[in-house]
Amino acid sequence: DAKTTQPPSMDCAEGRAANLPCNHSTISGNEYVYWYRQIHSQGPQYIIHGLKNNETNEMASLIITEDRKSSTLILPHATLRDTTVYYCIVRVDGANSKLTFGKGITLSVRP
Amino acid sequence: GAVVSQHPSWVICKSGTSVKIECRSLDFQATTMFWYRQFPKQSLMLMATSNEGSKATYEQGVEKDKFLINHASLTLSTLTVTSAHPEDSSFYICSARSTVNSPLHFGNGTRLTVT
């Protein structure tokens, strides 16, 4: 699976949109972009995933560039509870396809 | 939907004993489950892929005789840490998905402390 690069940390103001970037310049055509987050002492929580088109669900939006070499996770109205580590992962779907976690980005939402 | 339950959430055991951790998919069937380990301030590391009715596939460097995985049904996989030592103390997390194209969903993890 292709590797992703995320900045180690970022912050945003409570109530504002949090835009978390991810680079995946070696992504191949059949690899999906997945986003998870992990709140301390819990298992990772699935947020959203996409292949080419932008996606939106009740938690977030995922914007994928046309060349698919980067993407942005958008939390539209960040809250203090969104302060945690977010992982961007690319993966081919398939029977034994694995999720390989990098270091992620730590988002700090400030009051 | 897509709830994965792990039990126990934490366990303390003595060095040399074995500990079994259960992972259940509560509202779906999972032919494949994955086991991860996470040390403090580190990311998750995949240990093994568990397939229902067949042997697990272990990642490089993970001892299959020490970390026994049994995936006896479509809703249950177990990880047994045999002859546990203090260095096995870690956060163990399982994950599962309902179809090959579904997102992986994770359990809430098991904190193992070996004294």
Side-chain angles (χ1 to χ4, degrees):
Chain A
D1 293 330
K3 188 177 174 182
T4 63
T5 303
Q6 299 177 259
S9 63
M10 66 172 287
D11 63 37
C12 74
E14 186 179 18
R16 306 299 293 266
N19 298 305
L20 287 73
C22 180
N23 285 325
H24 29 80
S25 58
T26 60
I27 193 170
S28 57
N30 59 349
E31 286 185 304
Y32 288 75
V33 179
Y34 283 81
W35 282 85
Y36 284 79
R37 71 180 183 180
Q38 186 179 22
I39 295 169
H40 183 62
S41 294
Q42 295 184 24
Q45 177 188 24
Y46 165 77
I47 301 174
I48 199 167
H49 76 288
L51 182 64
K52 287 191 281 191
N53 299 323
N54 298 337
E55 302 286 345
T56 295
N57 63 21
E58 63 279 5
M59 288 184 69
S61 294
L62 174 61
I63 308 297
I64 303 173
T65 58
E66 194 169 339
D67 63 8
R68 301 187 69 240
K69 293 186 177 182
S70 65
S71 61
T72 301
L73 177 73
I74 301 174
L75 307 179
H77 306 287
T79 70
L80 298 179
R81 289 192 302 175
D82 293 324
T83 294
T84 193
V85 181
Y86 291 77
Y87 297 97
C88 169
I89 304 166
V90 296
R91 187 194 76 156
V92 176
D93 274 351
N96 287 329
S97 180
K98 313 168 192 176
L99 272 182
T100 302
F101 286 79
K103 296 182 179 178
I105 178 172
T106 298
L107 172 67
S108 299
V109 180
R110 59 180 187 275
Chain B
V3 177
V4 177
S5 174
Q6 250 182 275
H7 179 81
S9 55
W10 60 269
V11 58
I12 301 172
C13 72
K14 295 193 175 193
S15 188
T17 61
S18 296
V19 172
K20 180 185 283 188
I21 302 169
E22 292 188 348
C23 179
R24 293 181 185 273
S25 54
L26 296 187
D27 51 359
F28 65 98
Q29 294 184 329
T31 54
T32 305
M33 292 184 175
F34 300 85
W35 286 95
Y36 290 81
R37 179 168 55 180
Q38 186 176 33
F39 292 106
K41 298 191 186 301
Q42 294 187 22
S43 190
L44 284 78
M45 289 180 53
L46 180 65
M47 299 176 67
T49 303
S50 167
N51 292 299
E52 186 265 338
S54 65
K55 291 183 179 179
T57 303
Y58 291 82
E59 295 299 301
Q60 191 171 6
V62 178
E63 299 175 59
K64 61 179 172 58
D65 294 330
K66 180 168 184 63
F67 299 100
L68 301 179
I69 292 172
N70 186 316
H71 194 154
S73 79
L74 287 172
T75 59
L76 173 64
S77 175
T78 60
L79 168 69
T80 301
V81 183
T82 63
S83 186
H85 291 287
E87 56 265 31
D88 299 322
S89 298
S90 188
F91 191 49
Y92 293 86
I93 311 166
C94 72
S95 65
R97 60 182 175 214
S98 54
T99 70
V100 296
N101 295 325
S102 301
L104 275 178
H105 292 275
F106 288 78
N108 271 336
T110 298
R111 176 78 55 193
L112 170 63
T113 302
V114 184
T115 61

